[in-house]
Each structure stands twice: as C-alpha cells, then as structure tokens.
Amino acid sequence: MTVLRSVGGLGLAGALGGVLVAALAVPVVSGGGLAAKNVANTFVDLPPAPREEPLAQVTRLLDKDGRPFAQFYEANRTAVPLRAVAPVMRKAIVAIEDARFYEHGGLDIRGTFRALLTNTQAGGIKQGGSSLTQQLVKNILVESARTDAERDRARAPNLGRKITELRYALALERKYRKDEILERYLNIAYFGAGAHGVQAAARRFFSTSAAKLTLTQAATLAGAVRMPYSTDPSIGPAQRTRLRERRDLVLDRMAGLKMISQQEAASAKRSSLNLKLRPEPGGCEQSTYPFYCLYVQRELLSNPVFGNTAAERRMRMERGGLVIRTSLDPIAQQAAERAIRHHVNPEDTEVAAEAMVEPGTGRIRAMAASKRFGRNPGDRKNGPKTTFNLAADVAHGGGQGFQAGSTFKVFTLATALKQGWRFGDGFITPGALVPGQGYRNCAGRPVNDPGTRILNASGEGSGGPHSIETGTWKSVNIFYMMLERKVGLCNVVKTARALGVTRADGGPLREVPTFTLGVNEMDPVTVAAAFAAFAARGVYCRPLAIVEITGRDGHRAHVPPACKQVIERPVADAVNHVLSGVFDKGTMQGQSIGRPAAGKTGTNNGYTSAWFAGYTPHLAAAVSVGDIRGSYRFPLQGVEIGGRYYGSVQGASLPGPIWVESMGPALRRVEAEGFPGPDMARFGGGHTPGLAEAIAEEERRRQDGDRTIARRHRRIMEWLLGRGPADGELGWPRRHTGPRWPRRHEERGGPRRHEHGGPRRQEEQGGPLRQEEPGGPRQQEEHGGPLRQQEPGGPPRQEEHGGPRSRH
C-alpha cells in the first residue's frame, strides 16, 4: 500500500513508463488473446520514422574579416556533428538519461523498471522513464509542429501520446545508428537559459565549445536537460543551487556506471559550478553595428533571392543557420562613428549619417549615424535613439532622406563633359534666373517654372563669367541651372539614373528645373555609391552588403558585385579632375585628408540640410546632416550641434569635417594613390569670355586685402609695443564694444564663422532662392516641389523605423 501511494505521488513520466511496460508484457502472459494481438500489432506494424524538419539554428553576420557582429534566431542553436562533442559529454548524457542506450532497441524495459523503482523510493524523479530515443521523438514532434495544437499533442501527458512516441522511437532505431540518434538528441535538446543544443549550451553556460567541455561542465549540462527551467542559472541563485544538485547526481551516476572513478566524482563535486554565462544577443538592437545589421536584415527579408515569400525569407533568416559574410570594414565603421560622435551628440535633434562604399565593387564598408539604434524611453519620437537606419533608404529601414543639394551638380557636370564641353568652357551668368523656358522632362513635357526667380546664394556674387571649373568650385547655382538647360534636363536625369540615383522613398525622381540643385531626397548609401562610380572611372556598382552565404550544410555561395560601365573612362577622369579642385580652390578649401581626393559640398538654401560627398580611388563616402523632426520646419540656422554653435550649417562647415575626420583613419592602411590625369586633347582648351579678366580682378582685390590686413597687423603690433597710434587710427572705434559673434559660440570653441579650415567660398551661404513649383507653395530654396512635411504628432511613421515621415 505504501508503494502504491508513493507511485501515485510520482511524476507522470515514471507512472506511464510502468503502464507501458505492463502493456508490452501482455502478449507474453495473456495466452494470445485478442487484446494481446492488438497490442502486439501496435508494436510490430510500425509507422515510418517521424518527419524531421531542419532544426532552427542561429544565422550569424560576420564582418569582412570573419568576426561576428550580429545574429538572428528563433532558437539559439548551432548544430554540430557528434565528433565535435567532447566524449565526456556523450558519456554524461547517456549516464543520466539512458544508461543502456547502446544495448536496447528503443525501449529499455529493464531501465524503465529501474527508473520506476528508483523514483518510487526517492519520492521524486531521479531517473527518466523514457529512453533517449523516445525523448528524441518527443523533441522532433515539438520542433516540427506547425500549429499550437500539434505542439500540445506532442507534449500531452497521456498514454496515447506515450504509445505513439514509443512506436516512433522503434521506427527511428530501425532508421539510424545509435551514434546518429545521440547526435540528433544532443543538437535538439533544450538545456535552459535560451540554449538549444549542446553547442549553444556550452557557449551560453561556460563560454566554450561542445568539443572542449570538461567533466564538471559536461555533468552540469547533462543535469540541466531533465529540468531546464528550474535549473536555469541565468534566473537566480535558487536555480543555480538546483543545477549543482543535478550536476552532482550525474557525477554519482557516472561513477556508479564506472564511466569515471569515485575519486574523480568526489573531486568534481567539491568544485563550484564555475559558470561563465555568455550573453547571446539576437536582433539588430543588440548588435555591435546596428545600422549595418538593419541594412542586411532588410536585404534578407526583401530580396526574392532569399525566398519566394516574406514568410519564407523570415523563416530562413531566423531558422536557417546561415553564416553571412558582409562587406563591413570595422576600421572604416569605427572611423565613421568616431567622426560623427565628435561633431554631433545623440541627444541633438539634428542628425548626421555617413555611408562608405568601395569603388569598383559597390561593397558597403560602413554605415553610421549620430543617434544610437533602438527605441527611446516611453517610445518618444525624439531622443538619443532612433529605429531609422539614417544612412539608408526606406527599403533598407531608412527614412525619407534629405534633399541632396548641390551634390547633384556632379551629374550635370558629367553630362556636359560627355557632350563635348572642355575645361575652361563657360558663359556669362546673370544675377538672377527665371527658369521659364528650355526645360523638358524625359517624357518630353515642358516643366518650366516662369513664376520662380532664382538668385545665387551668398558668396556666389550677382553674376559674371564662370567656366565649368569655377562654377563647380564655387558651386554657383545660376551657372548650373543654365548649364543644365544647355545640356538638357532629361540628359542630366539619365546620367543620374545610370549612376544608381533613386529617391530614398523609392518614388520616381522629380524631373524639375532645380534637379541639378538637389531637389530629390536621398540617402547616404545611394549618394556614396553614385560618387564611387567616378572613383572607379565610370563603373557603377550596386551597393552590396552581403558577399558570401554559407548554408548549414557547409555549401558556400559567393555574391559577386553587380557592376556596369555607365560613363566613359575619359569623362569620369575629367570629372575627377574638376572635383579635386573643390579641396584647394573651392568650397572645401583648407580641408584635406592628406591624399588625393575629390568631392562636392551640398547645402540647401534656407539651410534645410547639408551634405558632403567625396572619394579617393579606394573609398567613397557621403555625409548628410538635417533635423530629424523635419528639415523645413527646423532649418540648420542658429543651432547648437555637438556643443558648438552654428549660425548656419553648410556642406563645408559640418558634413565636410565629418567626412575628412572619418576618411583619413578609414584609409590609414591603404597606400595613397592619385587619379589618372584627364585627356587634355579632348577636354583642354576651353574658353569663357571675360573669365580671365574676372579672375585677375579677383586676385588683385585679394592681394589688396592681404596688404591692408598686413598694414593693420603691423600697426597693432606697434601699438601693443607702445609705439603705435591711438585706437582710432587702427581701424576700429575708440571704444570697442566686444566681439561681433555670440559669446557662447566662442566659449564653446565653435568655428568663428561656422566654418572649418578656412574661408568658405561661395556656395551655401546665402538667402533663400524663393523657388516655388508651378501652382505650388512658395519654397525656401531650390526645391521645385511641395514640401510634404510631416510634423510631430502627424500621420503614423513608416513601419517602426523612423523619425518624421517626410525627412527621416
């Protein structure tokens, strides 16, 4: 009676084990009756082995050097062959789960009786009543279940489920060798702490591999399998205590089976658990490089190459056990992050983003942003974090982008050179321009805007002669509006499209007269890839983040660059020649990375956003800056960014320095190389009426100014030495009232004129162009279309990745 009461208090597994043993004994003792015959048929007419779906495994992202930086998983599992599991681990799991595993054929009658007796005497479960093969069957049925109902049936605590499980176990014993069954069990079992399979458990519990497990570590993991939740060491001390008890039980069992000596068991039991819990973060928010991770994730989920449906692609990413090598360069990535962090704080509403692309391959080497990736506390819209991939387009988790400004002038420049324009060719520009005629889109329709009057930005002057060099170096808006009309708006648009230019929101390019002034909203990855084509002498390559995929079977698939010669080499060389002058003669004068480089600033009049895009023969990069709340309502004027005050943000005053500070370190291991020289027979010898005289006059004025400054400096020094004239003779009022610029600006160490590295010459320093679309609202600059600006609290953002819908 006492024994029966004890049996009644046991866990269901032991009791059902006894029932199964009795059922199997029926054919022997019943005299061959009908019931005996039915039971016998149950275990003779076996079904096929259970359907085995591929086990869910971790998909890992590696940088170009093979170092992991992110992973996705539905279950943290990495399957390994049995030979990659330490022999002591194999012994430990067999000892505690199925000591006669290598002796029985799927059902261990003797072991089941022994487990029943042992558990009865102990008043609890000390040994399992199911064979290891039966446990494998249960895990297979749970893993391959496609619905909750199927999962519930696979776990149901009833005799019917146990009989089904046993029949499948016998079928598995016919299908596989013992070592194959053990391998499958070790890879499918759950060990606790989110670790599925012995390899993940070894990493999670001890920061090691399954092949390097020691006796005590193996006994610990073997003890965790039976009750993985109550022994989960990541939960707390009570669970660790139970885990140690289970470990010691395994050690005793191994000693009892003479797998180890009593002395080895006693020594191991005296040691602590010595856990080295290793976090196993999943998803991009916990990635080392979250924005790059998000780009790859979106590529995996959206590209039909990875599956015909979205559900199939997601399953492959989360369960496929893929190893994805990316083109991420940690040196370039860290250089971009440091440069942005030096100039822009995460708490600023103004945001900076940078993308770096390798010319000739399109491989994306870096993606960085000033904000950290993730959700802000309380899901606030504005804060130090964002779920937008600020460096990418909408398709890759980004936002609507910022208007690219004068960086688009490069497409007009390339078109002109292609059509036969020469260095020095140019024309007289007026002080204002009304784009009332001569502009047609690629559908052949006029897109003139006679109601708009465009003025040059401050610093570009009121008009005069300009060549394609001086017009580029000074970034003269009216010159480029006129040049675009001469070469054809549609031709400029076609050049941009050939260089991979698409809007960040995926919509069609806006083909309006101000196309050359950067009316379209762009993302840094797209702009960097377009400029990289010039560095590659006219070869455009689609941006590429994934370079190789290794499947769970070890098969490797290389992803080659997708490149095409879209601009003649001589034309690209000529563009590089002109854009190189931006650093020593133009808007970036005074800033350098110490090696040959070319680039173009971009500032939207009204200072709604600012850009710099530039390149060397080995690397191209684009930097954008704008306000995440909406670039039109929050222009970059009178702002404090990164602790520095800016009266206005121009392409050369913030994006330019970020570019310079990132490109130098990113290329520190790359030997400097110049661009091939231009074909002067084809591109030399141009002429602009009056340009030589205008340049000479400008030089004369500069020299006069230098002499005036020198005289004033000499008088100041004489005055300081006590030999000079009175205050009034030095050129300033006798009672000096203090500096012109805001005191807080100087105290914070910002650039006096909000410039870095020297006087900024021309482009992006002026008042509004007063540009407006036909019939549309009046604009702040050269934007040629409706603002479509969403304010905080407006319509929902795109998915979950963003800031205000219209910009970021």
Side-chain angles (χ1 to χ4, degrees):
M1 191 60 140
T2 303
V3 173
L4 290 178
R5 288 198 187 100
S6 298
V7 172
L10 288 178
L12 189 59
L16 289 177
V19 173
L20 283 173
V21 171
L24 287 177
V26 169
V28 179
V29 301
S30 67
L34 182 61
K37 182 176 181 180
N38 290 338
V39 172
N41 289 339
T42 298
F43 295 99
V44 174
D45 299 330
L46 297 176
R51 182 187 76 248
E52 295 179 75
E53 297 288 347
L55 294 177
Q57 296 190 54
V58 175
T59 290
R60 288 189 170 85
L61 306 187
L62 311 180
D63 64 24
K64 76 176 186 66
D65 299 320
R67 289 184 290 264
F69 67 91
Q71 57 190 15
F72 309 110
Y73 58 81
E74 181 180 285
N76 176 23
R77 176 189 287 112
T78 301
V80 293
L82 191 62
R83 65 178 179 274
V85 179
V88 70
M89 182 66 218
R90 304 179 218 167
K91 292 178 181 179
I93 201 74
V94 168
I96 195 62
E97 292 301 317
D98 190 354
R100 298 184 66 251
F101 170 67
Y102 284 97
E103 300 172 27
H104 63 69
L107 171 64
D108 183 11
I109 298 176
R110 186 192 307 173
T112 302
F113 271 124
R114 183 179 60 247
L116 178 63
L117 180 61
T118 301
N119 294 338
T120 299
Q121 292 173 342
I125 299 176
K126 292 293 184 180
Q127 295 182 21
S130 299
S131 70
L132 193 146
T133 311
Q134 287 173 262
Q135 295 178 54
L136 173 58
V137 168
K138 179 181 177 180
N139 279 284
I140 289 174
L141 295 176
V142 171
E143 184 76 19
S144 61
R146 294 171 178 170
T147 66
D148 289 340
E150 288 182 0
R151 275 183 284 274
D152 291 340
R153 283 196 297 273
R155 298 188 180 103
N158 57 53
L159 183 59
R161 191 268 294 176
K162 293 295 288 187
I163 292 175
T164 299
E165 181 182 287
L166 179 55
R167 297 180 74 215
Y168 277 136
L170 296 174
L172 275 182
E173 290 278 351
R174 291 183 178 181
K175 182 178 181 180
Y176 297 123
R177 300 190 317 271
K178 286 291 186 177
D179 279 356
E180 291 175 321
I181 292 173
L182 180 59
E183 177 183 302
R184 280 167 166 76
Y185 178 76
L186 285 169
N187 280 312
I188 202 172
Y190 180 60
F191 289 80
H196 296 258
V198 65
Q199 176 73 355
R203 286 167 54 91
R204 181 74 174 94
F205 282 57
F206 300 109
S207 297
T208 188
S209 66
K212 296 179 180 179
L213 288 168
T214 64
L215 170 61
T216 53
Q217 291 171 342
T220 302
L221 296 184
V225 169
R226 179 61 56 177
M227 43 186 68
Y229 299 101
S230 62
T231 58
D232 185 340
S234 67
I235 297 177
Q239 287 74 18
R240 293 192 187 98
T241 299
R242 282 192 287 273
L243 180 60
R244 181 166 183 170
E245 292 171 355
R246 287 288 301 171
R247 180 202 69 178
D248 293 349
L249 179 65
V250 174
L251 292 168
D252 286 340
R253 181 69 176 144
M254 293 178 73
L257 293 170
K258 302 192 183 309
M259 293 179 175
I260 60 174
S261 68
Q262 292 291 345
Q263 291 79 7
E264 287 175 311
S267 175
K269 288 167 65 175
R270 284 194 296 269
S271 67
S272 64
L273 288 174
N274 290 320
L275 296 169
K276 295 180 181 178
L277 289 174
R278 168 182 176 146
E280 289 290 350
C284 292
E285 188 166 359
Q286 296 176 306
S287 167
T288 310
Y289 307 118
F291 294 106
Y292 204 105
C293 170
L294 184 58
Y295 191 97
V296 175
Q297 181 189 49
R298 286 305 187 92
E299 187 73 11
L300 291 171
L301 293 177
S302 62
N303 195 325
V305 170
F306 301 108
N308 294 324
T309 66
E312 182 181 344
R313 292 190 289 269
R314 180 169 292 278
M315 184 178 72
R316 181 163 295 174
M317 182 185 75
E318 295 179 347
R319 296 175 56 91
L322 306 175
V323 177
I324 299 176
R325 187 181 290 268
T326 72
S327 55
L328 170 66
D329 179 359
I331 293 177
Q333 178 69 35
Q334 292 164 18
E337 290 178 354
R338 282 194 299 267
I340 289 176
R341 204 161 45 236
H342 180 233
H343 289 274
V344 185
N345 294 331
E347 294 77 15
D348 295 336
T349 58
E350 298 81 12
V351 292
E354 182 172 18
M356 294 181 170
V357 174
E358 183 179 76
T361 66
R363 290 171 180 162
I364 304 172
R365 294 307 190 189
M367 271 182 277
S370 56
K371 289 192 177 294
R372 297 186 290 272
F373 182 77
R375 295 188 177 278
N376 293 306
D379 280 343
R380 289 186 294 113
K381 290 183 178 180
N382 297 314
K385 295 183 178 182
T386 181
T387 52
F388 263 178
N389 187 359
L390 297 173
D393 58 10
V394 169
H396 292 92
Q400 300 292 321
F402 290 122
Q403 289 184 323
S406 294
T407 60
F408 262 47
K409 290 172 181 173
V410 69
F411 307 125
T412 306
L413 171 64
T415 304
L417 292 168
K418 177 182 177 181
Q419 292 184 4
W421 286 66
R422 294 172 175 266
F423 302 143
D425 278 346
F427 41 80
I428 303 294
T429 63
L433 175 70
V434 175
Q437 60 180 354
Y439 295 93
R440 289 181 178 271
N441 64 17
C442 289
R445 292 192 299 269
V447 289
N448 303 304
D449 189 3
T452 296
R453 184 169 180 263
I454 295 177
L455 302 175
N456 277 332
S458 173
E460 295 173 4
S462 58
H466 285 289
S467 66
I468 58 174
E469 295 107 303
T470 63
T472 302
W473 299 336
K474 297 182 178 183
S475 197
V476 182
N477 288 342
I478 290 178
F479 173 83
Y480 262 93
M481 289 285 292
M482 295 174 67
L483 182 61
E484 178 189 59
R485 183 168 59 191
K486 290 176 182 292
V487 301
L489 168 60
C490 180
N491 291 327
V492 175
V493 171
K494 287 179 178 179
T495 298
R497 284 178 177 157
L499 291 164
V501 171
T502 56
R503 287 174 55 87
D505 61 7
L509 289 173
R510 297 172 60 211
E511 301 174 28
V512 292
T514 50
F515 182 88
T516 191
L517 303 183
V519 63
N520 284 279
E521 287 87 356
M522 304 298 296
D523 61 278
V525 169
T526 301
V527 174
F531 274 69
F534 295 110
R537 306 187 71 188
V539 175
Y540 170 75
C541 300
R542 179 181 177 273
L544 181 67
I546 299 173
V547 299
E548 185 181 78
I549 301 175
T550 304
R552 64 172 72 210
D553 59 357
H555 177 73
R556 294 186 177 185
H558 181 68
V559 182
C563 301
K564 183 179 180 181
Q565 186 86 40
V566 297
I567 294 177
E568 297 175 74
R569 277 191 171 193
V571 172
D573 294 341
V575 170
N576 298 338
H577 174 73
V578 175
L579 293 190
S580 297
V582 170
F583 284 95
D584 55 10
K585 305 178 186 71
T587 52
M588 283 288 284
Q589 189 173 4
Q591 303 192 62
S592 170
I593 60 172
R595 63 172 67 207
K600 184 70 188 74
T601 50
T603 306
N604 288 310
N605 246 21
Y607 304 103
T608 56
S609 62
W611 286 74
F612 186 78
Y615 52 93
T616 71
H618 299 287
L619 191 64
V623 180
S624 68
V625 176
D627 197 302
I628 198 170
R629 297 170 297 175
S631 58
Y632 290 101
R633 278 186 52 94
F634 300 96
L636 304 176
Q637 287 182 291
V639 293
E640 186 176 292
I641 304 174
R644 297 179 179 87
Y645 177 80
Y646 294 84
S648 60
V649 177
Q650 302 134 31
S653 65
L654 185 52
I658 291 174
W659 186 92
V660 168
E661 289 185 28
S662 62
M663 286 288 283
L667 291 166
R668 70 175 186 269
R669 296 183 179 178
V670 180
E671 187 175 350
E673 181 182 344
F675 299 105
D679 181 356
M680 296 306 293
R682 175 174 174 179
F683 297 105
H687 176 67
T688 299
L691 180 60
E693 294 80 2
I695 293 175
E697 176 64 17
E698 183 178 341
E699 178 64 19
R700 185 189 64 76
R701 290 177 180 176
R702 186 190 64 79
Q703 291 177 357
D704 287 348
D706 289 345
R707 284 193 290 269
T708 299
I709 292 173
R711 285 195 299 270
R712 180 170 297 178
H713 181 265
R714 185 175 64 253
R715 291 181 181 179
I716 291 173
M717 292 302 298
E718 291 174 350
W719 175 74
L720 289 173
L721 293 173
R723 300 193 299 270
D727 287 356
E729 298 175 8
L730 295 175
W732 58 52
R734 290 182 181 273
R735 293 187 179 182
H736 182 50
T737 57
R740 294 176 57 191
W741 301 94
R743 181 172 300 277
R744 63 173 182 152
H745 171 73
E746 296 184 355
E747 290 172 352
R748 290 181 175 125
R752 177 162 186 174
R753 291 182 179 268
H754 319 298
E755 300 168 356
H756 295 252
R760 296 298 161 255
R761 293 181 59 179
Q762 289 38 297
E763 174 190 8
E764 309 137 313
Q765 302 175 4
L769 297 184
R770 302 192 296 280
Q771 170 79 22
E772 62 181 46
E773 275 288 277
R778 184 168 298 277
Q779 306 292 301
Q780 286 186 314
E781 65 119 17
E782 59 234 278
H783 296 161
L787 302 185
R788 305 189 311 282
Q789 174 68 37
Q790 174 185 310
E791 300 306 325
R797 302 180 180 187
Q798 294 185 53
E799 303 178 25
E800 53 186 14
H801 297 281
R805 183 178 178 87
S806 67
R807 287 296 172 269
H808 274 288

